[in-house]
Amino acid sequence: MFHLLCFLIGFVGFALGQTDCEHELTATNIPATITSPNFPSNYPNNLRCIIHIKSPERSRIELNFTTFELEDSDDCAKDSLVIDNGIDGGERLLLHSCGTTWTWPRFPDGLVETSGSEATIVFVTDSSVSARGFSFEYRYIQTPQEVLFFTAETSIQYIYRRNARNGYFNETSMKNVSAVDFDPSSGFLFYGDSGARQISRRNAIGTTPSASEVIVTDVDPFGFRLDIPSRLLYWTDATLRTVSVTDLDGTHRSTIISDLDHPGAIVVEPYKGYIYYTDMGSLVKLARADGDGGNQVTLAQGLGQGLYNTTTALAIDLEERVLYWIDSSLDQLHSVHYDGSGHQSLSSAYSKENPFALVVDSYAFIFTDPTFGRLRFDSRDLTVHGLGLTLTPGTTYYKGLTLRSLSSTGAEPSVCPNSACSGLCLPKPNDRYRCVTGLPTVVCPEDIEVTFMQGESPSVQVSWTEPVDTVVTQSHHPGDYFTEGVTTVIYSFSKDGSIVDCSFTVTVIERDTTPPVFLNCPDPITAWIAPGTTSELVSWDMITLENPSDATRSSVQPGSEFYIGTEEVIVEAWDSSSNIAWCNFTVTVRVDNISPEISHCPPDLIVTVITPSAAGTVVDWIEPTLTDNYGDAYWSSTPPPPGSRFPIGSTMLTYTGTDTFGNMASCSFYVTVDAVNEGANNLLLIVVVGGGVSVLVVIVVIVAAVLTIRYCRRAAPQTAATGPGTRNPAFPHEEGGGYSTHVYGDNPPPYIEPIWDNQYSKNMYRPASMEHIYEPSPTMPHTYALPNTQATH
């Protein structure tokens, strides 16, 4: 059934019913209500409802949800509500939600704001479960948008507090950006870079992009906060252990607090003339001072355990006049009033994080989490913890954080009258101020690095050119001796009551003279390729060093293409002391046109049988072996296996081997089966008929003939049938010889190995039994050997 009332729209008490599920609405500054069909009863199934809302130019649309209950599903694939910027759906997605839990952390209070003057809302249901649906009011607003800015080492990222718009920007000069704040009056974004040791500013969102402008140098900014009404920037310096202040173009700057243990976070109360900061030394504390650094008061002390256990995450609630900080050494969120009263421990849900910077708004505590590389949101009532948001996957070092409106709501009052001071005008309580002339930024020498050789004294004399200004104090002098390690040299200058510091470092390093050591260097490599090809991809095991921190580079990388011939590979390694070592080896690519090698090819075999069998005679031999110069080789053709039966006559057997690239080799030999001469049997028959003594003589002769060992000699193995000396299959007894065995019945002959004494002069064979007759080659001297007898012919 099609539901005629897709949305109930209340507008100044007027209810609108539609015959379809698509509506065009115009927002005013008076809230109107939109609910799902049948609300507060369950919505129908199989809906696709679309609403387009427009508002006046330069305004935004605010959606305030009071009820939200949809069917829950993975990725909201069943029932869902989608809110997009724009009418045509081409803008960014604001919300895609289902279930009953509102989408923390982006919209913790149920408020959604578009980034422009148009919005599209799409409500989709499937054919199964339904729920109460939703109810929200909509109107247009023209208040400034709030944006979270936060640092990620080499970039600054941002996200609008109540819509999905976000982005980032970076510059090659950014090395380790750790602090950030935004001035809505000028549109400048200020950031401190401890890696580049400077403070810079640049145009931010909604303005014409420009390159960054460095306003302060020779600093190590840690905490960072703007005093917008007084047009000042305060920061803590981790190296100088100071709190300093500058005007917003860097013309004047002054150090207002010195000799801290390890200053951390800093916030400003611009209308009361106070600054608040943490000191993370051996006795961690939260302190307050006037805007000129005077009247320092400790508000809370002993907050952490041990040196540098952090209380960096510090925020101020200007409306409630309360300070909040997260002490990660105790895993606790604390609060205290401006005057130090009402100190409370609010939560202990920070054991896995290392909070760096903290801000608060009406609905959430928000802090950067370098450990997990995300922003974390905790609800203001602390009932919801740990909802994280990561904008750039792989970024694991979010640090500085600020929450500011993009545009100023008007001129904010300052305690400093116009032109009251020629330099810095620093606010103090009770609408007072102090003029500090300040000095222009002093340029210190560049950081210095020197080395000493192994075995020499680790104390090195170092000189530099001093700054041109009048020096009040300095920690070291040119020509001083510095020991191994990093030493910070600090100069302090004073003029008209203002103190300006500059610093640089002297690093003394032991010069290591031992070159890197290779744990492995490949032996020369030979790669074989198929005929007709010219190259091959060649790899080798990863080359490793004894010290993994040493650097390497290779003239050719493993897996590269090498061509026919020999190429040298050079791997160079160097350490932090510029010691160098090399690993050299060659890669040779050759065409494989070499045939595989066949070993132990059987000789020709001659088998003589006394009583032939119709099934053939069993003949056995030892098969040859096959190897190749590269890769694997296999038998591509083989004869019948040893133990097969052969008929009377000569049979040629051939083994053929083939390698990976198609090169072939062959091995051939003959198996000859002969029947014994039957003349002896006929003679025996004739003599037997004659009778008498002659019978006995003939029998003895015949028996001796049968037992005669016909000499045989082993033939040389036959390989591929090419070249001189090739055996003619028609004449198996020609040059090359062989051996023959006379067999009664079809039993196989034993394998007999000759014993050579000089060349062909004396040959002795020891048959396994006298049941076989061995026939030698007729042209060679031979020996008949019977048990315990020997006769030479």
Side-chain angles (χ1 to χ4, degrees):
M1 174 180 178
F2 184 81
H3 297 273
L4 296 180
L5 184 60
C6 186
F7 283 100
L8 173 66
I9 302 172
F11 178 71
V12 197
F14 179 77
L16 175 65
Q18 299 288 333
T19 58
D20 56 33
C21 245
E22 185 163 356
H23 305 278
E24 300 282 347
L25 301 176
T26 299
T28 70
N29 59 356
I30 300 175
T33 301
I34 296 178
T35 65
S36 54
N38 296 342
F39 185 84
S41 300
N42 287 5
Y43 52 77
N45 295 326
N46 300 315
L47 290 177
R48 180 176 177 81
C49 301
I50 302 174
I51 260 197
H52 301 295
I53 304 177
K54 294 184 178 182
S55 65
E57 289 188 17
R58 302 183 183 277
S59 67
R60 304 188 313 281
I61 300 171
E62 178 187 79
L63 309 177
N64 185 6
F65 282 80
T66 57
T67 301
F68 191 86
E69 295 181 17
L70 305 185
E71 178 189 8
D72 200 6
S73 62
D74 292 339
D75 298 324
C76 295
K78 297 182 178 180
D79 299 351
S80 67
L81 184 72
V82 175
I83 303 175
D84 278 321
N85 277 308
I87 296 299
D88 57 4
E91 297 291 331
R92 282 193 167 184
L93 176 71
L94 277 178
L95 175 71
H96 182 197
S97 191
C98 59
T100 58
T101 302
W102 188 248
T103 55
W104 259 83
R106 188 72 56 79
F107 313 113
D109 49 2
L111 286 176
V112 181
E113 292 179 6
T114 64
S115 58
S117 60
E118 299 176 342
T120 297
I121 303 167
V122 180
F123 178 45
V124 177
T125 68
D126 65 1
S127 59
S128 58
V129 180
S130 65
R132 289 184 65 199
F134 57 82
S135 174
F136 65 84
E137 293 180 338
Y138 70 96
R139 63 170 182 164
Y140 77 76
I141 56 176
Q142 294 177 307
T143 56
Q145 298 185 78
E146 290 186 323
V147 178
L148 283 163
F149 294 93
F150 54 98
T151 69
E153 280 198 285
T154 58
S155 68
I156 299 175
Q157 305 192 26
Y158 62 87
I159 177 173
Y160 282 68
R161 185 67 178 93
R162 299 192 186 281
N163 63 57
R165 186 178 177 187
N166 62 76
Y168 74 97
F169 48 84
N170 57 10
E171 296 182 12
T172 56
S173 61
M174 294 180 178
K175 300 184 183 303
N176 185 14
V177 183
S178 56
V180 65
D181 205 352
F182 177 71
D183 175 26
S185 299
S186 64
F188 276 118
L189 187 70
F190 294 81
Y191 61 92
D193 191 331
S194 59
R197 296 181 56 79
Q198 62 191 27
I199 296 173
S200 305
R201 68 179 185 179
R202 60 161 291 162
N203 290 335
I205 304 170
T207 61
T208 303
S210 66
S212 293
E213 174 191 2
V214 178
I215 61 172
V216 179
T217 59
D218 295 314
V219 293
D220 184 10
F222 194 95
F224 204 82
R225 197 63 175 173
L226 286 170
D227 181 343
I228 294 175
S230 299
R231 316 305 293 156
L232 299 172
L233 171 63
Y234 290 88
W235 76 92
T236 58
D237 192 301
T239 299
L240 299 176
R241 300 183 292 118
T242 58
V243 176
S244 298
V245 60
T246 182
D247 48 23
L248 299 190
D249 60 5
T251 302
H252 299 89
R253 91 185 215 202
S254 179
T255 298
I256 58 175
I257 301 176
S258 301
D259 299 324
L260 298 174
D261 283 339
H262 193 274
I266 186 169
V267 294
V268 175
E269 213 297 7
Y271 308 111
K272 297 297 180 182
Y274 289 124
I275 61 172
Y276 302 86
Y277 59 94
T278 59
D279 191 355
M280 304 176 295
S282 57
L283 191 60
V284 181
K285 66 180 181 181
L286 170 65
R288 184 189 71 200
D290 294 350
D292 64 350
N295 300 317
Q296 300 171 33
V297 176
T298 298
L299 301 181
Q301 189 166 293
L303 306 177
Q305 302 294 322
L307 188 64
Y308 301 156
N309 280 336
T310 171
T311 56
T312 58
L314 174 65
I316 186 169
D317 187 325
L318 296 175
E319 294 182 0
E320 294 185 0
R321 299 173 57 80
V322 173
L323 297 165
Y324 295 92
W325 74 90
I326 297 175
D327 182 351
S328 62
S329 68
L330 299 176
D331 302 328
Q332 292 177 348
L333 172 67
H334 293 263
S335 69
V336 68
H337 291 106
Y338 284 179
D339 59 2
S341 65
H343 182 186
Q344 298 183 66
S345 175
L346 303 178
S347 175
S348 299
Y350 304 93
S351 59
K352 294 182 180 180
E353 289 84 11
N354 182 26
F356 191 91
L358 173 70
V359 297
V360 296
D361 65 10
S362 301
Y363 307 100
F365 296 100
I366 309 166
F367 64 88
T368 52
D369 178 3
T371 302
F372 293 96
R374 64 180 181 177
L375 295 179
R376 173 169 153 169
F377 295 74
D378 285 359
S379 63
R380 192 66 186 265
D381 60 7
L382 298 175
T383 59
V384 181
H385 290 284
L387 294 170
L389 178 65
T390 299
L391 296 186
T392 306
T395 299
T396 58
Y397 214 58
Y398 290 171
K399 293 182 76 174
L401 174 69
T402 189
L403 175 64
R404 293 287 192 183
S405 295
L406 271 188
S407 57
S408 175
T409 56
E412 300 185 41
S414 171
V415 298
C416 291
N418 292 334
S419 303
C421 300
S422 59
L424 297 174
C425 180
L426 304 182
K428 294 177 68 68
N430 303 316
D431 295 329
R432 295 179 296 120
Y433 61 90
R434 176 187 169 203
C435 290
V436 177
T437 303
L439 290 175
T441 299
V442 177
V443 178
C444 262
E446 297 289 334
D447 292 343
I448 300 173
E449 182 176 298
V450 294
T451 60
F452 65 94
M453 303 297 289
Q454 286 179 323
E456 295 181 352
S457 171
S459 181
V460 180
Q461 188 176 26
V462 181
S463 295
W464 60 87
T465 301
E466 292 192 289
V468 181
D469 299 273
T470 303
V471 178
V472 177
T473 61
Q474 61 191 99
S475 60
H476 300 79
H477 296 81
D480 284 352
Y481 283 84
F482 292 77
T483 58
E484 185 176 3
V486 179
T487 304
T488 300
V489 178
I490 303 174
Y491 279 86
S492 295
F493 308 88
S494 177
K495 182 178 180 181
D496 297 333
S498 178
I499 299 175
V500 176
D501 295 331
C502 81
S503 67
F504 63 97
T505 61
V506 175
T507 303
V508 179
I509 303 174
E510 181 183 34
R511 174 67 185 272
D512 177 15
T513 59
T514 303
V517 177
F518 288 93
L519 296 180
N520 64 305
C521 186
D523 293 326
I525 299 171
T526 299
W528 297 89
I529 59 176
T533 57
T534 59
S535 64
E536 176 75 352
L537 299 179
V538 181
S539 292
W540 50 87
D541 291 338
M542 182 175 65
I543 297 173
T544 56
L545 298 171
E546 186 175 72
N547 184 357
S549 64
D550 292 343
T552 62
R553 59 171 170 250
S554 179
S555 60
V556 185
Q557 297 301 318
S560 297
E561 186 175 20
F562 289 79
Y563 291 87
I564 295 173
T566 299
E567 181 176 348
E568 184 178 29
V569 178
I570 302 174
V571 181
E572 183 182 30
W574 67 94
D575 59 20
S576 58
S577 299
S578 300
N579 298 302
I580 302 176
W582 293 272
C583 157
N584 298 38
F585 60 96
T586 59
V587 175
T588 301
V589 177
R590 294 179 178 173
V591 176
D592 187 358
N593 50 18
I594 301 175
S595 299
E597 181 178 350
I598 299 175
S599 303
H600 309 297
C601 188
D604 291 343
L605 304 176
I606 303 174
V607 179
T608 303
V609 294
I610 303 299
T611 307
S613 169
T617 302
V618 175
V619 180
D620 207 347
W621 63 90
I622 297 176
E623 293 191 290
T625 58
L626 180 67
T627 57
D628 189 54
N629 64 308
Y630 175 75
D632 297 326
Y634 61 95
W635 293 112
S636 55
S637 175
T638 57
S644 300
R645 292 179 179 272
F646 292 83
I648 300 297
S650 293
T651 304
M652 185 173 72
L653 305 183
T654 301
Y655 286 86
T656 301
T658 304
D659 66 14
T660 303
F661 300 114
N663 300 303
M664 301 176 67
S666 297
C667 156
S668 298
F669 64 96
Y670 288 89
V671 172
T672 301
V673 179
D674 288 341
V676 73
N677 189 342
E678 296 181 357
N681 293 336
N682 295 335
L683 177 61
L684 177 62
L685 178 61
I686 295 172
V687 175
V688 170
V689 172
V693 178
S694 299
V695 172
L696 178 59
V697 173
V698 172
I699 290 174
V700 171
V701 172
I702 293 173
V703 170
V706 171
L707 296 178
T708 298
I709 300 175
R710 298 179 179 183
Y711 175 77
C712 70
R713 65 184 174 90
R714 293 174 57 90
Q718 302 299 306
T719 57
T722 59
T726 302
R727 178 181 294 275
N728 189 335
F731 304 98
H733 294 290
E734 285 187 354
E735 181 182 355
Y739 65 79
S740 63
T741 306
H742 295 273
V743 181
Y744 289 100
D746 59 358
N747 294 320
Y751 185 87
I752 300 177
E753 186 71 30
I755 303 174
W756 301 95
D757 182 8
N758 298 324
Q759 187 173 9
Y760 305 125
S761 62
K762 183 185 293 184
N763 311 295
M764 295 184 296
Y765 292 81
R766 294 180 175 83
S769 72
M770 296 308 300
E771 192 175 284
H772 308 86
I773 299 175
Y774 295 83
E775 181 179 46
S777 177
T779 61
M780 296 181 60
H782 51 273
T783 298
Y784 302 104
L786 300 179
N788 301 318
T789 65
Q790 179 170 313
T792 303
H793 293 262

